Amino acid sequence: MFKVSRIPGLLALAMLTAACATEPAREQRSLEQILADKGYRIGEEIPHIREFRFDGWTEVDNLHLILHSRVSDRYLVTLGSICDGLLYSSTIKLSTTVGQFTRFDYVMVGGPGGTGGRCNVRTLNELEKIEQEGSSD
């Protein structure tokens, strides 16, 4: 009788393990692959974004996000540590330094009730648009 009670638990564990194995793991893809899928490649590292105008953002993972500035300017922000809630947040706030976004600024992730974590910036990179194959100038 004792062995019978373990079988459902072992069966459930086996099913859960199999389900996890079939899910595509986000961590298995490199940052470069994720950005390429979004149509970008990492450009030059920069100390700040001058005349920064925040027009939106796109999460990449819990350590990176893309900032949208003006019509077509995109920047990769690498955070100093994993930023809990970044992948699920609908809002973020940015600190700025006299109209510039710098490596000394931070991202505030919106959470329940408008509160969330403060995530320090480690590096900023320009993003370059990848020319799609088959497109003509």
Side-chain angles (χ1 to χ4, degrees), residues 65-115:
L65 65 134
I66 298 170
L67 292 183
H68 306 207
S69 180
R70 304 183 189 268
V71 175
S72 61
D73 295 338
R74 301 293 182 263
Y75 302 93
L76 178 69
V77 178
T78 301
L79 301 169
S81 61
I82 289 175
C83 191
D84 290 330
L86 183 61
L87 294 176
Y88 309 106
S89 179
S90 60
T91 61
I92 63 171
K93 295 179 183 177
L94 306 174
S95 69
T96 56
T97 306
V98 191
Q100 299 182 66
F101 188 69
T102 74
R103 292 183 286 203
F104 304 107
D105 288 313
Y106 57 88
V107 175
M108 289 290 295
V109 176
T115 62

Side-chain angles (χ1 to χ4, degrees), residues 38-70:
K38 295 179 181 294
Y40 298 103
R41 72 173 149 254
I42 300 173
E44 179 182 345
E45 185 173 330
I46 55 176
H48 55 266
I49 304 169
R50 290 179 192 244
E51 299 176 17
F52 179 65
R53 179 177 163 194
F54 181 52
D55 287 334
W57 64 288
T58 305
E59 76 281 352
V60 175
D61 56 27
N62 55 8
L63 194 60
H64 302 92
L65 65 134
I66 298 170
L67 292 183
H68 306 207
S69 180
R70 304 183 189 268

